[in-house]
Amino acid sequence: MQFVRRLFSVRINSPLLSGLNAAFIWMFIGAFVLSLFLWLTGMREQDLSFYTYVVHAVSLLIGGFISGKRSNERGWYHGGIMGAVYGLLILVIGFLALDSSLQLQDILQWGAAFILGAIGGIFGVNVDKS
């Protein structure tokens, strides 16, 4: 059993990469749940915009929490950087998929991603590691 654990255990030591990994995993889980809601209920795609913001906010908070917990100090900084990179990646993916230009709303969402990641990092760095 120890061999299997050592073979498949991957530990990411970088606070940024571990937070991004956790944030994208939670984002994929949230997107999957939203797609199930679309499929199994009478929800329309036009109703999803609020829920996608909620999924991204939860993902950013969890990713910032993991970044702050791994950093052991300056959780707001590590969580905020994780949020900024997450927001930048989401913006780039959106621009490539939708072929749109940069607008003020995109800059505000990027700033909100930084703030949510920083809040998650603040909580993550203050969790006891006992």
Side-chain angles (χ1 to χ4, degrees), residues 18-60:
S18 62
L20 280 174
N21 189 28
F24 276 108
I25 287 172
W26 280 98
M27 191 245 326
F28 288 137
I29 290 170
F32 181 72
V33 168
L34 285 179
S35 66
L36 286 177
F37 281 159
L38 274 176
W39 180 46
L40 297 173
T41 65
M43 185 184 292
R44 298 176 303 158
E45 287 184 24
Q46 292 81 12
D47 302 333
L48 282 180
S49 63
F50 172 74
Y51 298 112
T52 56
Y53 287 128
V54 170
V55 166
H56 283 298
V58 169
S59 299
L60 283 163

Side-chain angles (χ1 to χ4, degrees), residues 12-116:
I12 301 172
N13 290 327
S14 168
L16 174 66
L17 292 179
S18 62
L20 280 174
N21 189 28
F24 276 108
I25 287 172
W26 280 98
M27 191 245 326
F28 288 137
I29 290 170
F32 181 72
V33 168
L34 285 179
S35 66
L36 286 177
F37 281 159
L38 274 176
W39 180 46
L40 297 173
T41 65
M43 185 184 292
R44 298 176 303 158
E45 287 184 24
Q46 292 81 12
D47 302 333
L48 282 180
S49 63
F50 172 74
Y51 298 112
T52 56
Y53 287 128
V54 170
V55 166
H56 283 298
V58 169
S59 299
L60 283 163
L61 287 171
I62 291 173
F65 183 86
I66 298 295
S67 289
K69 189 173 179 182
R70 290 278 168 92
S71 70
N72 294 327
E73 60 184 18
R74 291 183 298 182
W76 69 271
Y77 175 75
H78 290 284
I81 294 298
M82 187 283 313
V85 171
Y86 178 93
L88 187 64
L89 288 172
I90 294 298
L91 283 175
V92 167
I93 290 169
F95 290 142
L96 292 175
L98 301 174
D99 195 29
S100 63
S101 61
L102 189 64
Q103 298 175 353
L104 179 62
Q105 181 183 3
D106 299 326
I107 302 297
L108 293 175
Q109 289 173 350
W110 185 65
F114 175 82
I115 291 170
L116 285 169

